[in-house]
Amino acid sequence: MKNKKILQQAATSFKSLRLMNSTENKNNVKIRKMKKIALALAVVLIAGINSGFANHPVDVSKRAVAAFHADFHLAKDVNWKESPRYVQAQFNLDNQVMYAYYNPDGSFICLLRNILTTELPSYLRNDIKKNYSGYWVSELMKVDADQGTSYFIRLENGDGSVVLRSENEGEWRIYNLPDPSAKRNVTL
């Protein structure tokens, strides 16, 4: 009888030990899975942080890039273009696409962005309503430069379109776009 009791206790102990080992194995599997998830998250975060800093173009003027980062340090999704006369950075800031232009030496030229007609100064908006009531706005840009602020607007109707420009709080004037087939230098 004693042997039977001892065997029952041993069997119970063995079952308990097996249950404990099974529980420990399950916990170990959970811990290993959690470690893998944490490692994957860390890799994703590090890759995201590095991609934000790795957006330095190889073939663009370093001075222009440095000046841009100083002026627009919160910019996201920066894309670069360079010509012999200027460097263009297209980027997002405050959920709006903007274009910053710099000379290759890093000096700021201008900032260009599309705007809504409600963002125009009221005197310019009223002038459009008064003199161009039969037109609709197809493009409207604000250009900020050291020399001041300019607005460009393309108005269209069934017969054609007209481009107007207002500089430094002045009135609208017809702006003749350069002929794309003509080879001449155009300054902003």
Side-chain angles (χ1 to χ4, degrees):
M1 196 69 173
K2 253 184 174 185
N3 285 342
K4 198 173 187 187
K5 224 178 192 186
I6 291 174
L7 282 175
Q8 283 177 344
Q9 284 178 346
T12 306
S13 294
F14 180 74
K15 284 180 184 176
S16 297
L17 185 61
R18 213 168 90 199
L19 257 171
M20 277 179 36
N21 282 341
S22 169
T23 304
E24 284 178 15
N25 284 341
K26 287 179 183 176
N27 286 339
N28 284 342
V29 168
K30 286 181 183 177
I31 289 172
R32 276 187 260 142
K33 283 183 180 178
M34 288 176 66
K35 284 181 180 179
K36 286 180 182 178
I37 290 170
L39 180 63
L41 284 172
V43 167
V44 168
L45 285 173
I46 289 171
I49 290 169
N50 284 341
S51 70
F53 292 110
N55 198 7
H56 181 280
V58 176
D59 58 345
V60 174
S61 163
K62 289 181 179 168
R63 289 181 178 172
V65 172
F68 171 80
H69 286 299
D71 293 342
F72 302 100
H73 59 280
L74 296 176
K76 296 178 182 174
D77 305 322
V78 183
N79 293 305
W80 296 93
K81 290 182 184 175
E82 186 171 29
S83 77
R85 297 192 52 193
Y86 63 86
V87 175
Q88 175 197 27
Q90 176 187 343
F91 61 99
N92 286 311
L93 184 64
D94 299 328
N95 293 321
Q96 186 172 15
V97 176
M98 298 184 185
Y99 301 86
Y101 291 86
Y102 290 86
N103 287 314
D105 68 2
S107 58
F108 178 75
I109 299 173
C110 70
L111 174 68
L112 184 142
R113 64 186 180 98
N114 291 315
I115 63 170
L116 301 171
T117 54
T118 54
E119 296 175 73
L120 273 174
S122 60
Y123 69 94
L124 290 175
R125 195 172 49 243
N126 292 337
D127 190 36
I128 293 294
K129 286 179 186 176
K130 179 181 170 188
N131 296 316
Y132 296 93
S133 61
Y135 289 79
W136 64 85
V137 177
S138 61
E139 276 185 280
L140 178 57
M141 294 178 283
K142 180 179 182 180
V143 180
D144 291 308
D146 290 337
Q147 302 82 12
T149 300
S150 298
Y151 296 93
F152 291 85
I153 189 167
R154 179 186 301 272
L155 301 167
E156 296 184 24
N157 66 13
D159 299 326
S161 68
V162 62
V163 176
L164 305 174
R165 178 181 186 175
S166 170
E167 294 182 293
N168 301 324
E169 300 183 22
E171 295 177 355
W172 289 114
R173 299 191 190 281
I174 293 179
Y175 181 71
N176 295 317
L177 291 172
D179 181 2
S181 63
K183 293 188 178 185
R184 57 181 149 164
N185 294 328
V186 178
T187 58
L188 296 174

